[in-house]
């Protein structure tokens, strides 16, 4: 794939840790009506580049910047790789309308915690909510698998979002493609 345009990107905000093996039970993070960020003591500031792809999609790589806070730890943590795949760098659509252009997929690796996949969406004001699931060494999830299942479970046949993307079964801790194949 040949890239056509490169843009510098900064992404910063707060993040909320969720320890729940069942992704279908994870609610969207809450923020007050007048709050810019979700209420959390954990902040992040990452930067990198966005590359427009030939198909019009955007690949955003964010591995620079001060990094991520963790509970009770004074040092910042960084990702070796963190690629986000978006349709646009700006929120498109109306609340309650077709949100599929605002879906975000990601993959990456953190030197301390290993590889991860992520899903989320962009909201008004270009706010991104992305859920990260760290993968065990022998985990068989790939970005293509995640995209396929998220599209099926979030959008179904009508291209309207039915559930937040992080509530898809592929984001469960114990996801198994062989079990899923038997159920289909």
């Amino acid at each position: 794939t040949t890239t056509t345009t490169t843009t510098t990107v900064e992404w910063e905000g707060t993040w909320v840790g969720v320890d729940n093996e069942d992704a279908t039970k994870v609610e969207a993070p809450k923020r007050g009506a007048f709050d810019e960020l979700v209420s959390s003591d954990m902040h992040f500031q990452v930067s990198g580049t966005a590359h427009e792809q030939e198909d019009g999609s955007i690949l955003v790589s964010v591995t620079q910047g001060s990094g991520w806070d963790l509970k009770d730890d004074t040092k910042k943590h960084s990702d070796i790789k963190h690629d986000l795949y978006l349709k646009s760098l700006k929120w498109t659509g109306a609340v309650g309308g077709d949100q599929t252009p605002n879906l975000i997929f990601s993959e990456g690796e953190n030197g301390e915690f290993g590889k991860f996949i992520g899903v989320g969406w962009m909201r008004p004001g270009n706010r991104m909510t992305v859920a990260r699931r760290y993968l065990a060494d022998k985990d068989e999830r790939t970005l293509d698998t995640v995209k396929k299942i998220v599209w099926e479970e979030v959008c179904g046949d009508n291209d309207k979002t039915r559930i937040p993307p992080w509530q898809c079964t592929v984001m469960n801790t114990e996801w198994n493609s062989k079990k899923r194949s038997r159920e289909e």
Side-chain angles (χ1 to χ4, degrees):
T1 307
T2 306
T3 59
T4 56
T5 305
T6 300
T7 305
T8 301
V9 173
E10 272 200 31
W11 184 26
E12 60 184 308
T14 54
W15 69 274
V16 178
V18 177
D19 290 325
N20 195 330
E21 293 181 2
D22 183 355
T24 64
K25 304 223 182 333
V26 177
E27 295 295 323
K30 307 287 187 250
R31 73 179 178 100
F34 300 103
D35 295 337
E36 179 185 4
L37 304 171
V38 170
S39 179
S40 175
D41 292 333
M42 294 179 283
H43 293 82
F44 69 93
Q45 188 279 319
V46 293
S47 60
T49 55
H51 302 280
E52 184 178 345
Q53 306 297 297
E54 284 183 347
D55 66 359
S57 66
I58 309 290
L59 167 60
V60 180
S61 298
V62 286
T63 57
Q64 301 163 352
S66 61
W68 305 79
D69 292 338
L70 288 181
K71 289 181 185 177
D72 305 320
D73 194 349
T74 56
K75 81 172 193 167
K76 295 279 190 175
H77 299 265
S78 302
D79 294 327
I80 297 167
K81 173 186 175 184
H82 191 175
D83 291 342
L84 297 128
Y85 301 87
L86 301 87
K87 292 273 188 194
S88 171
L89 286 175
K90 294 182 180 181
W91 179 73
T92 59
V95 176
D98 180 9
Q99 296 297 311
T100 56
N102 299 307
L103 288 175
I104 299 169
F105 299 94
S106 73
E107 64 182 341
E109 184 174 353
N110 181 291
E112 298 168 75
F113 306 109
K115 293 183 179 181
F116 61 86
I117 46 104
V119 296
W121 53 26
M122 189 177 294
R123 288 307 207 208
N126 299 331
R127 289 188 329 267
M128 295 193 306
T129 302
V130 180
R132 190 182 273 202
R133 173 65 72 196
Y134 285 96
L135 305 175
D137 289 338
K138 293 184 179 182
D139 197 298
E140 53 195 50
R141 281 175 272 202
T142 66
L143 187 63
D144 288 338
T145 303
V146 171
K147 284 180 178 181
K148 179 181 183 292
I149 294 169
V150 168
W151 278 106
E152 287 172 4
E153 293 182 15
V154 170
C155 304
D157 296 330
N158 64 9
D159 285 344
K160 298 269 187 181
T161 52
R162 300 182 296 206
I163 61 172
W166 52 84
Q167 290 184 347
C168 291
T169 57
V170 73
M171 293 298 286
N172 287 343
T173 300
E174 297 296 324
W175 181 82
N176 184 317
S177 67
K178 292 173 183 59
K179 178 181 175 191
R180 185 172 194 276
S181 295
R182 284 192 303 271
E183 291 171 354
E184 293 176 342

